[in-house]
Amino acid sequence: MAFDFKKEFREFYMPKNKPHIVDVPEANYIAVRGHGDPNEEDGEYKQAIGILYAVAYTLKMSYKSDYRIEGFFEYVVPPLEGFWWQDNVDGVSLSEKSAFNWISVIRLPDFITRKDFDWAVKTASDKKKMDCSKAEFLTIREGLCVQIMHIGPYDDEPATVELMDKYLAENGYENDITDLRRHHEIYMSDARKVSPEKWKTVIRHPIKKI
């Protein structure tokens, strides 16, 4: 059976719909950076998602090619994630979507090296006839965070974030969102197949002790 990050690391991908604190270890990702409204048709964000999945599935299916990755085992491609921020805004403002900066990512298994990643970017570009050069190999260590499972449309997230902030205040913590630590979302539902009221999104914020 293929290794599934969602099942093996449930504490990071399947939290309950109430806030709790986690210490998130270092991990490697395929990442694409960009700016602008994620809902823009054929916009920069949609193009970035195409690049991410092209590289991710090239790596996943590498065992069917002539390229060999040391330590490879079959796995399920992890869910799409995103780090979001806006210049001169505390947290994020959903009313200013055109001002979003973002880093969209998909987690990589630990056995994927930078050499394997570079092979996949070139192979995906050649096979898919698309430029995947914006993809980067990114290592992230999130550390201490508060997270919750948000259920419903993305535009309803502020109410869920309020629950997180209240929990922090009651337990002696505060948000620690900086230029290096961002508002983080993990998309557990396929928005194309699930109705908005049933969307599941992990919301994660970096924190520190007061």
Side-chain angles (χ1 to χ4, degrees):
M1 185 177 293
F3 183 91
D4 190 335
F5 287 84
K6 300 186 298 296
K7 294 178 180 178
E8 298 297 330
F9 301 108
R10 292 182 64 85
E11 68 268 34
F12 302 126
Y13 292 99
M14 297 298 292
K16 295 179 180 179
N17 59 346
K18 59 182 181 180
H20 71 282
I21 292 171
V22 290
D23 191 355
V24 186
E26 182 176 279
N28 296 324
Y29 298 84
I30 311 166
V32 178
R33 301 170 189 263
H35 177 82
D37 188 340
N39 298 316
E40 183 183 348
E41 198 64 37
D42 296 323
E44 192 174 346
Y45 182 77
K46 299 288 177 63
Q47 294 173 24
I49 302 309
I51 293 170
L52 285 176
Y53 279 108
V55 176
Y57 277 94
T58 297
L59 287 164
K60 171 184 165 62
M61 304 306 295
S62 63
Y63 69 97
K64 292 190 174 183
S65 73
D66 293 333
Y67 187 83
R68 292 293 173 263
I69 296 176
E70 185 175 352
F72 181 92
F73 53 77
E74 290 191 54
Y75 62 96
V76 177
V77 171
L80 177 69
E81 309 183 35
F83 295 89
W84 301 84
W85 73 98
Q86 291 149 316
D87 297 333
N88 304 313
V89 173
D90 184 17
V92 293
S93 171
L94 295 178
S95 63
E96 298 284 344
K97 291 178 179 156
S98 62
F100 270 132
N101 300 298
W102 39 263
I103 307 174
S104 292
V105 304
I106 293 177
R107 184 171 175 174
L108 290 168
D110 291 343
F111 57 73
I112 301 292
T113 66
R114 190 176 296 273
K115 174 176 173 288
D116 301 325
F117 176 85
D118 291 342
W119 167 83
V121 170
K122 183 179 186 307
T123 301
S125 296
D126 293 343
K127 287 191 173 182
K128 302 288 186 180
K129 300 295 188 289
M130 60 188 294
D131 181 7
C132 294
S133 62
K134 286 186 177 180
E136 60 181 284
F137 185 97
L138 185 63
T139 301
I140 300 172
R141 170 73 167 89
E142 286 192 86
L144 199 64
C145 295
V146 62
Q147 66 178 20
I148 191 173
M149 181 68 81
H150 169 75
I151 299 175
Y154 305 133
D155 285 349
D156 291 348
E157 287 184 8
T160 301
V161 171
E162 281 187 19
L163 292 177
M164 298 165 69
D165 292 344
K166 183 171 183 286
Y167 173 84
L168 293 180
E170 291 173 347
N171 288 275
Y173 291 88
E174 63 183 3
N175 286 302
D176 188 31
I177 295 176
T178 69
D179 288 345
L180 297 176
R181 307 183 79 203
R182 309 289 193 185
H183 171 94
H184 184 184
E185 299 181 1
I186 306 175
Y187 307 106
M188 303 303 297
S189 303
D190 187 336
R192 300 167 301 176
K193 301 177 181 178
V194 179
S195 56
E197 66 270 14
K198 295 181 180 179
W199 289 349
K200 292 183 177 181
T201 306
V202 180
I203 302 177
R204 184 182 295 163
H205 281 176
I207 61 173
K208 63 183 177 181
K209 194 76 174 172
I210 295 176

